[in-house]
Amino acid sequence: MHSPTLPPALLSALRRVMRPLVRLMLRKGVTYTVFADLLKEVFVDVADREFRLDDKAPSDSRISLLTGVHRKDVRRLRTEDDTASMALPENITLGAQLVNAWTSNSPFCKTAGQALPLPRLASVGGDVSFDALVAQVSTDIRARVVLDEWLRLGVVRLDEQDCVHLEAQAFVPQKGFDEKAAYLAHNLHDHASAAVHNLTAQGQPFFERSVHYDALSPASVEVLRETVASEGMQTLLGFSRLAADLENGDLSSLDPRQRITIGLYFYTEPNSPTAPPP
């Protein structure tokens, strides 16, 4: 039986939120014991960083009281190296910048959001080439290195004329588990952070909305899937162009910097066979 001080609705929500993550862990061999040890680290780290009194580092005893983690474990975990950075890996950050330039900047796109096929070499395409695209964003990395990595991830393809085609209208790797895992961490963290803020914090809420229906045929679901993929991507590209323009205008500002995430997702699954008919 749960303590009466713990909201049953919150425990029910946490149980449901954890289900897809547990499904992933079981598929990848992450056992309960491994996850429990990982969860201890997170509990201790969050309590240490975010639950301070008068901005003073809490004692091991206070963290143990807050989290339920044994004080010996608290002491051990606080002396170990910090957890991995929340920042996206550099290759993903650079990739997002390149895709934004390819889909937004002349002469690399036909219209906003429609990336042109680019000759691979500057010796062939000049300023309208994949070499030129990479050089516009970074002079520290060779275009061939980027191309090889993107071919591995399925972000681009090469045709018979040695032109590079963008396969996704945003930097979303089709292959590469590590890159997909980085997006999982980034996107789910920020989505969950917005929802937790709206549930627990005062002040202006973050935009966090969805629509849901439960009596659609498979054919109707496919119509929605394709519409979200096309129109949703155009919406996100529009936000990306606006954010890039605003960021460029902020270069001379002395205001403190903030990061943002804007997301859109689609999910479907069969209704439970035990559910009553509509």
Side-chain angles (χ1 to χ4, degrees):
M1 178 177 294
H2 298 300
S3 167
T5 61
L6 299 177
L10 176 59
L11 295 176
S12 178
L14 290 173
R15 184 180 295 110
R16 181 165 188 180
V17 166
M18 287 302 303
R19 291 187 68 86
L21 297 180
V22 170
R23 187 183 306 131
L24 173 64
M25 286 185 274
L26 291 177
R27 286 175 176 170
K28 295 300 180 181
V30 180
T31 64
Y32 166 77
T33 303
V34 172
F35 182 62
D37 288 340
L38 180 63
L39 204 55
K40 279 185 183 180
E41 296 178 20
V42 177
F43 266 84
V44 170
D45 185 62
V46 171
D48 189 6
R49 294 172 183 268
E50 301 182 26
F51 287 80
R52 299 188 172 196
L53 298 175
D54 300 323
D55 204 29
K56 295 179 181 177
S59 65
D60 292 346
S61 295
R62 182 166 187 271
I63 291 180
S64 179
L65 179 65
L66 283 172
T67 64
V69 177
H70 195 281
R71 189 169 62 179
K72 289 192 296 185
D73 288 332
V74 171
R75 186 182 307 114
R76 172 180 59 83
L77 291 169
R78 295 181 84 182
T79 58
E80 291 180 354
D81 289 339
D82 196 4
T83 54
S85 171
M86 286 297 298
L88 283 168
E90 184 177 354
N91 68 320
I92 289 182
T93 303
L94 173 64
Q97 293 173 336
L98 285 168
V99 171
N100 181 66
W102 197 348
T103 58
S104 302
N105 297 352
S106 177
F108 304 113
C109 62
K110 184 175 182 180
T111 59
Q114 296 185 1
L116 290 170
L118 300 177
R120 180 172 64 87
L121 299 175
S123 59
V124 177
D127 292 337
V128 190
S129 64
F130 190 77
D131 283 350
L133 171 69
V134 175
Q136 185 180 93
V137 175
S138 174
T139 57
D140 296 329
I141 188 166
R142 293 171 53 241
R144 183 73 224 190
V145 174
V146 177
L147 179 62
D148 288 344
E149 178 68 1
W150 278 14
L151 288 170
R152 180 184 74 85
L153 294 174
V155 176
V156 297
R157 65 177 175 85
L158 272 176
D159 65 18
E160 296 80 0
Q161 286 74 44
D162 204 29
C163 287
V164 186
H165 295 252
L166 182 63
E167 289 285 84
Q169 286 296 302
F171 185 68
V172 182
Q174 304 304 305
K175 308 171 186 174
F177 182 82
D178 291 351
E179 289 78 10
K180 290 182 179 180
Y183 269 116
L184 171 76
H186 183 274
N187 293 343
L188 286 191
H189 171 273
D190 284 5
H191 191 169
S193 294
V196 169
H197 170 89
N198 294 346
L199 185 65
T200 62
Q202 301 295 322
Q204 184 178 9
F206 290 111
F207 186 88
E208 199 257 336
R209 301 286 187 272
S210 64
V211 295
H212 39 89
Y213 290 78
D214 59 7
L216 289 161
S217 69
S220 295
V221 168
E222 287 307 307
V223 170
L224 286 166
R225 187 197 304 270
E226 293 175 4
T227 303
V228 171
S230 59
E231 297 185 13
M233 184 56 68
Q234 291 305 311
T235 298
L236 287 177
L237 287 170
F239 287 141
S240 178
R241 289 190 292 271
L242 175 60
D245 290 343
L246 291 171
E247 190 173 66
N248 288 333
D250 289 340
L251 291 176
S252 60
S253 171
L254 299 179
D255 292 338
R257 298 310 189 207
Q258 298 185 38
R259 70 177 186 86
I260 62 103
T261 297
I262 303 170
L264 181 71
Y265 66 94
F266 174 89
Y267 180 71
T268 182
E269 66 179 10
N271 281 339
S272 170
T274 59

